[in-house]
Amino acid sequence: MQSPDVSELEVSGLIGSGTCGKVYRARNAAGKQVAVKIFAEEAVNRELLEEAALRLEDGGWPTGVLPEISEDYRGKQILRVTALLADDRDGKTLPRSLQHRLDRFPGEDSWPLVQEILASLAAMHDRQVAHGNLKPGNVFFDDDGRVVLTDWALGNMPGIGGVEYTDAVLYQPPDQLRDPADYLRGKGYRWDVFAFGVLAYRLVTGAFPRCTETFDSVAPEPGKTRRDDIAANFKQVAKALESHPKYEWPDAAANPLEKSYREIIDRCLSLDHLARPANAGEVLNILNAAEKEIADEQHRDAILDQHRRARRSAWRANVATGVLVGAVAILSVMWRVKKSELEAEETGRAADVARLEGEREALREEKEAVVAKSDADRRELQYDKDMWLARLDASRETGDLLFAWAMEKGLRRLPPLDGRTQRLGRLESYFEEFIERTADIGALAEERARARLQLAEVSLAKDDPKAAASRMEEALQASAELPSGPDLDLRLATDRLLLALLLQEQNDEGADAAFESARKALEAVPQAEVDADRVQQLLAVLDFHQSRLRAAAGRDGEALAQIHRATEALNKLVDQRPDAAVLRSELVSCYLSSATILDGIGEMGDAREVRALASEELVQLLKKDPTNLDLRLDLAGCYGAVAEAAVLSGDVSAAESNSKAAVKLLEQLMLQRPDSPEVRSRLAAQRGLVAGILRDRGDAKEAMELIEEGILLVEQIAVGDSADPVAKYRLALLLWQKGRMTGFGGDRNEEIELETRAVEMLRKIAKSDYSLVRSEQIRRSLGYVLGDLGHAAQIAGKMELARSTFGEAVAVWSQLNRERPQSEEYQEGLGWSEQRLKEL
């Protein structure tokens, strides 16, 4: 086994992540694209992985198993380097896994793929290695399109504590789910046989054999490798499988060979592990034997059919000869009879011609009379048609108004309706039935196009982005049948924006492209012919929400420019319509987002001014809606943020004034929302802020009491994996603050303990994908806490801890400097940490 030289790898980006680790795309020293998988220490068994890799590598990697180029199962980082099995499409890396091609099955290639997977699994078992983690995401296709297996001995394995849910659970038998330690006692081979059976059944039928509805709801969709926020009790899953011992194939086998295949899969899917074949090699032998038996039987049938055809051919030749002689005699008699009939028919034909000439003249006269009458009828019908078309136009206008009434929770011109979800379902059924019922009626093409557009809008209202995107595409294709004009353009552009907002809410990667499509459509609407204020408002909303996407991606400059553009547009609209609370609320959101971005790029003074503007708008909104608790929470957040900015600028008086206003609002909200994470986190932040001011004035006792109160506020909502991320972040900062205060009092051991807790919490938050807290902000706080912890350890004489802590601080500040090289704060943090480390 060869250890990788990490320094030679040029990492270019993250491909994906799972419970066992993350996979990165990289280029090695030879310039070849490779995949680097870094395993999470707590999610793998080092010894088990190394032993399995040694067995597979011994004598050359078996066909059907992805070889390792290099690996390190004993170092600080557990990692594996393999060939990169992925394609680049539209600037994205798309892995060539079965999970990403699952929507192609069932199909013509189902059974051939099942056989390839079985052959690969048999090759692993032949090397005395059980996979134990078989699922579509671990079946890949190499450059020649052949199956290769990877990620063996991971997941639900012995020696792993607290295994998280992955879709591999859906392919594992009850005996593995209950006791994964049996892998070491040789039962892993029969586990693989069961998992192969589930995978084969799904490839052939498109469903799971047991617990189908439940498993379908938690299995990742084709093209995605995981479903988040799913917790699974493995023993309950095992119990659910055992409660469904029987299952059925959804249709009959296409031929005797497929029938034999299905019987073999049935044996693999037995819940009794002893009834399953011992390993994949035995399954492969049974499969080959079944194929040979069917082939031999077909050969025997072919020989028997050949003999039967020879006997039938001789009999048919004798019969044909007799029939031919009889036919000649009969035809001779018939020719004589037919000749006499034709002579008699010619005599009567002349009389018939004369009679038909007279009838044709009579019909001509009758036709002229009918044409004259039809002209009069046509004019009458045209009048009726014009009248009904006018009525239909009026009906369409009324229908659009009623449709909007049914879609919205309350339309200004009509009273509100209740039961919105039920209404949407009925509308959806009505439009689907109308489109299907009138599919062959060309005259109703416009009505069908209108129904398709309304179906797309129903999907938007139901918050179903997948259906909305598909139906919107159909509506756009059919829009040529609708009367063109600015009103239709504005409606389609608005629907595009709603789709982009829905995709953003669902964290869909296509949100940014959807926003650009909506922008083009809105900018193309002729504002002189529609409500121009409405178009400007929609463009401002688009800028605001797209800026949040770009801020999350680290494109702060672009995000800030869009926020400023949205703010300018909304300010103009608010000046023109000061009574519009919706516009004022959107303006507040823009101010707060702008302040967040300014904080992130170090413009604290500008952020403070922007939050002050937001506070003024919130006060205006509260005058119109004084009981709105969400507005009060936003206003308290503004006051609190302004107070924190005032502390940083040295304006203690402004800090105390704004903090007092924030605390007053938050204490009132605590009585009404005692379990709200936002209220508790913001109140705890103000306790910490005032404690810092009191400490600087020399009142350490009261300052410590406020710190303790702040910790109590957030501690109960900041514990556990599902705890509120903002509360976790706030608790880490309060522990840091408490540690500094105890250190100033001389208790360095307690300072080290508290700051160590804060560091551990910040590390975990930094590794998690929390959109509520900026990653850069977390790492900045981590850099400061590490510096204080290293300093405390140095004073306490714990030099090893000091060296490792200052080393980590240098790494954190270095990364921040690379991301924002112009930041003086980050440069100073790096310089200070490097100097401390050098002194040690």
Side-chain angles (χ1 to χ4, degrees):
M1 299 175 68
Q2 179 183 354
S3 297
D5 187 349
V6 179
S7 63
E8 294 183 353
L9 295 175
E10 181 184 346
V11 177
S12 57
L14 179 68
I15 297 177
S17 61
T19 58
C20 294
K22 297 184 178 181
V23 181
Y24 297 87
R25 179 176 186 154
R27 189 184 299 275
N28 62 17
K32 182 180 180 181
Q33 293 282 355
V34 295
V36 181
K37 181 155 189 175
I38 299 179
F39 297 97
E41 170 72 27
E42 67 278 3
V44 298
N45 184 327
R46 289 173 178 259
E47 293 77 10
L48 194 61
L49 273 178
E50 184 175 20
E51 182 182 353
L54 285 170
R55 288 185 181 182
L56 290 170
E57 187 181 23
D58 187 23
W61 289 88
T63 302
V65 179
L66 181 63
E68 295 176 343
I69 298 173
S70 56
E71 63 285 305
D72 187 356
Y73 296 128
R74 301 185 181 183
K76 184 177 180 181
Q77 277 193 329
I78 311 171
L79 59 88
R80 168 194 296 161
V81 180
T82 64
L84 178 65
L85 301 183
D87 299 313
D88 292 328
R89 292 184 184 173
D90 300 328
K92 297 180 181 178
T93 300
L94 184 65
R96 291 203 299 267
S97 75
L98 178 56
Q99 181 63 38
H100 287 77
R101 302 183 180 183
L102 205 54
D103 54 358
R104 304 180 186 181
F105 301 95
E108 295 181 358
D109 296 331
S110 291
W111 282 114
L113 179 59
V114 167
Q115 291 174 305
E116 270 201 82
I117 294 172
L118 178 59
S120 299
L121 192 61
M124 287 191 68
H125 287 188
D126 188 52
R127 297 290 180 90
Q128 282 73 55
V129 176
H131 193 292
N133 192 33
L134 190 62
K135 61 177 183 176
N138 292 336
V139 178
F140 277 75
F141 300 90
D142 64 14
D143 295 338
D144 297 323
R146 294 173 299 192
V147 166
V148 287
L149 304 182
T150 184
D151 282 356
W152 54 84
L154 295 177
N156 191 18
M157 289 283 105
I160 307 299
V163 181
E164 296 184 13
Y165 166 81
T166 71
D167 60 315
V169 172
L170 310 180
Y171 298 85
Q172 293 174 358
D175 33 315
Q176 181 178 2
L177 294 169
R178 285 202 173 92
D179 190 3
D182 278 346
Y183 179 91
L184 300 175
R185 292 187 278 272
K187 293 187 179 181
Y189 303 110
R190 294 184 191 268
W191 295 351
D192 285 353
V193 168
F194 183 89
F196 162 73
V198 177
L199 185 55
Y201 186 95
R202 193 177 184 199
L203 288 171
V204 173
T205 68
F208 288 93
R210 300 182 177 95
C211 306
T212 304
E213 292 185 4
T214 303
F215 283 10
D216 279 342
S217 67
V218 298
E221 299 175 0
K224 296 184 179 180
T225 55
R226 57 187 295 181
R227 277 186 184 265
D228 297 323
D229 302 326
I230 295 177
N233 184 320
F234 290 3
K235 292 185 179 179
Q236 289 295 330
V237 176
K239 186 176 181 181
L241 285 170
E242 290 171 339
S243 66
H244 296 80
K246 296 182 179 180
Y247 63 90
E248 294 181 357
W249 293 83
D251 53 13
N255 50 58
L257 182 58
E258 183 175 353
K259 182 179 179 182
S260 298
Y261 285 170
R262 291 187 178 189
E263 291 172 354
I264 295 167
I265 299 302
D266 289 339
R267 291 181 58 185
C268 296
L269 288 171
S270 173
L271 295 177
D272 180 2
H273 75 281
L274 293 177
R276 301 174 211 141
N279 53 50
E282 183 177 333
V283 179
L284 187 60
N285 291 336
I286 298 172
L287 203 70
N288 291 335
E291 290 179 352
K292 186 176 184 305
E293 182 179 350
I294 295 295
D296 291 344
E297 184 175 345
Q298 290 175 345
H299 181 65
R300 287 194 301 270
D301 289 344
I303 293 174
L304 290 174
D305 286 342
Q306 185 177 358
H307 287 299
R308 294 190 193 100
R309 284 195 299 272
R311 288 197 296 270
R312 284 197 297 268
S313 297
W315 179 81
R316 283 197 296 268
N318 294 330
V319 172
T321 301
V323 169
L324 182 60
V325 173
V328 169
I330 293 171
L331 288 173
S332 177
V333 173
M334 291 177 63
W335 179 79
R336 293 189 181 93
V337 173
K338 192 65 177 178
K339 182 179 180 182
S340 61
E341 289 178 354
L342 287 173
E343 290 173 351
E345 185 176 352
E346 286 176 0
T347 305
R349 185 63 56 85
D352 290 340
V353 170
R355 179 176 53 81
L356 289 173
E357 287 289 343
E359 290 178 356
R360 185 173 66 176
E361 183 63 23
L363 288 173
R364 185 182 62 77
E365 295 173 357
E366 184 179 351
K367 177 184 175 182
E368 291 176 353
V370 170
V371 169
K373 185 176 184 303
S374 66
D375 287 340
D377 292 341
R378 189 180 298 107
R379 288 192 293 272
E380 184 178 354
L381 287 172
Q382 184 63 42
Y383 172 79
D384 289 342
K385 178 182 178 182
D386 292 341
M387 179 183 67
W388 284 109
L389 284 175
R391 292 181 179 178
L392 184 58
D393 286 339
S395 173
R396 287 170 178 166
E397 184 177 353
T398 303
D400 281 342
L401 181 62
L402 290 175
F403 177 74
W405 188 27
M407 291 281 285
E408 296 190 13
K409 294 180 181 177
L411 192 65
R412 276 178 282 179
R413 289 171 288 171
L414 294 172
L417 293 174
D418 295 326
R420 182 168 180 262
T421 302
Q422 185 178 8
R423 292 199 312 275
L424 293 175
R426 289 179 177 175
L427 282 170
E428 186 173 39
S429 299
Y430 168 76
F431 289 128
E432 287 176 339
E433 183 181 351
F434 173 80
I435 292 172
E436 183 179 356
R437 191 175 63 249
T438 64
D440 299 328
I441 304 176
L444 293 178
E446 180 181 342
E447 305 305 314
R448 283 195 299 278
R450 190 179 301 274
R452 291 188 188 282
L453 178 56
Q454 290 169 325
L455 262 181
E457 291 168 343
V458 167
S459 298
L460 288 170
K462 291 175 70 176
D463 296 334
D464 187 346
K466 186 175 181 180
S470 174
R471 287 173 170 174
M472 180 63 69
E473 190 65 31
E474 294 176 359
L476 291 172
Q477 292 175 1
S479 62
E481 301 291 343
L482 297 172
S484 61
D487 290 335
L488 176 64
D489 294 341
L490 179 57
R491 180 174 180 179
L492 293 173
T494 304
D495 288 342
R496 286 177 183 268
L497 176 57
L498 291 173
L499 176 60
L501 294 172
L502 184 56
L503 291 171
Q504 180 187 33
E505 184 180 340
Q506 302 288 338
N507 294 322
D508 192 286
E509 294 179 354
D512 195 55
F515 275 123
E516 287 303 318
S517 176
R519 181 188 303 282
K520 290 180 182 178
L522 284 168
E523 290 175 345
V525 174
Q527 297 188 29
E529 302 178 41
V530 296
D531 184 350
D533 288 348
R534 176 61 175 163
V535 177
Q536 290 301 316
Q537 181 186 358
L538 292 174
L539 283 169
V541 169
L542 188 153
D543 277 328
F544 167 60
H545 285 279
Q546 191 177 27
S547 71
R548 295 172 63 188
L549 274 181
R550 294 184 172 172
R555 298 157 64 182
D556 292 328
E558 297 177 32
L560 195 57
Q562 283 190 289
I563 283 287
H564 286 167
R565 189 162 62 236
T567 304
E568 183 180 359
L570 288 171
N571 266 318
K572 290 180 181 178
L573 293 173
V574 169
D575 290 341
Q576 296 167 6
R577 298 179 59 188
D579 60 326
V582 171
L583 293 173
R584 196 174 293 276
S585 178
E586 290 173 349
L587 183 58
V588 170
S589 297
C590 286
Y591 280 140
L592 295 178
S593 289
S594 180
T596 300
I597 296 172
L598 288 167
D599 275 338
I601 62 177
E603 301 292 340
M604 305 298 182
D606 291 342
R608 179 180 174 185
E609 293 178 7
V610 172
R611 286 196 174 93
L613 292 173
S615 302
E616 294 174 8
E617 297 295 338
L618 285 167
V619 169
Q620 294 297 321
L621 286 170
L622 276 170
K623 287 181 181 179
K624 296 182 179 181
D625 190 6
T627 61
N628 192 318
L629 300 183
D630 291 328
L631 289 177
R632 290 179 176 273
L633 181 59
D634 288 340
L635 182 57
C638 283
Y639 284 146
V642 171
E644 291 176 358
V647 167
L648 292 174
S649 63
D651 190 349
V652 177
S653 176
E656 288 183 307
S657 172
N658 281 283
S659 179
K660 184 177 180 181
V663 169
K664 181 179 178 181
L665 288 168
L666 290 168
E667 286 180 340
Q668 293 173 353
L669 287 167
M670 274 291 290
L671 299 176
Q672 296 163 305
R673 294 183 176 179
D675 297 325
S676 170
E678 293 87 353
V679 175
R680 286 179 170 273
S681 296
R682 292 180 184 179
L683 186 55
Q686 294 310 304
R687 296 290 190 248
L689 184 144
V690 176
I693 296 174
L694 292 174
R695 179 202 62 203
D696 293 342
R697 289 176 179 171
D699 194 347
K701 182 179 179 182
E702 187 176 352
M704 183 61 78
E705 290 176 355
L706 287 175
I707 290 292
E708 294 287 358
E709 184 179 342
I711 290 174
L712 287 174
L713 279 169
V714 292
E715 198 164 26
Q716 59 180 300
I717 60 172
V719 178
D721 294 335
S722 60
D724 182 70
V726 178
K728 285 185 175 183
Y729 180 57
R730 182 54 59 187
L731 177 58
L733 296 185
L734 288 168
L735 291 172
W736 172 34
Q737 193 172 358
K738 182 180 178 182
R740 287 169 57 91
M741 292 181 67
T742 56
F744 291 148
D747 190 346
R748 294 296 176 183
N749 289 329
E750 185 176 358
E751 179 185 5
I752 291 172
E753 180 183 350
L754 290 168
E755 289 176 352
T756 299
R757 284 183 61 194
V759 165
E760 290 174 353
M761 293 185 72
L762 289 171
R763 283 175 185 152
K764 290 182 179 178
I765 300 173
K767 292 179 181 178
S768 305
D769 297 328
Y770 291 129
S771 59
L772 297 175
V773 185
R774 288 174 63 93
S775 172
E776 182 179 347
Q777 179 183 351
I778 297 167
R779 288 181 283 127
R780 171 177 171 269
S781 300
L782 178 59
Y784 281 121
V785 182
L786 286 167
D788 283 349
L789 175 57
H791 182 63
Q794 184 180 8
I795 294 175
K798 300 181 178 181
M799 296 306 173
E800 186 62 31
L801 175 60
R803 274 191 291 270
S804 64
T805 304
F806 280 132
E808 186 177 353
V810 168
V812 170
W813 288 116
S814 296
Q815 181 64 31
L816 289 170
N817 267 284
R818 284 194 292 271
E819 294 175 4
R820 205 181 296 281
Q822 297 85 6
S823 172
E824 294 181 4
E825 178 188 10
Y826 295 168
Q827 292 172 4
E828 291 175 1
L830 177 59
W832 185 86
S833 299
E834 287 178 335
Q835 181 62 32
R836 289 288 183 177
L837 185 60
K838 185 177 180 181
E839 291 174 357
L840 290 174

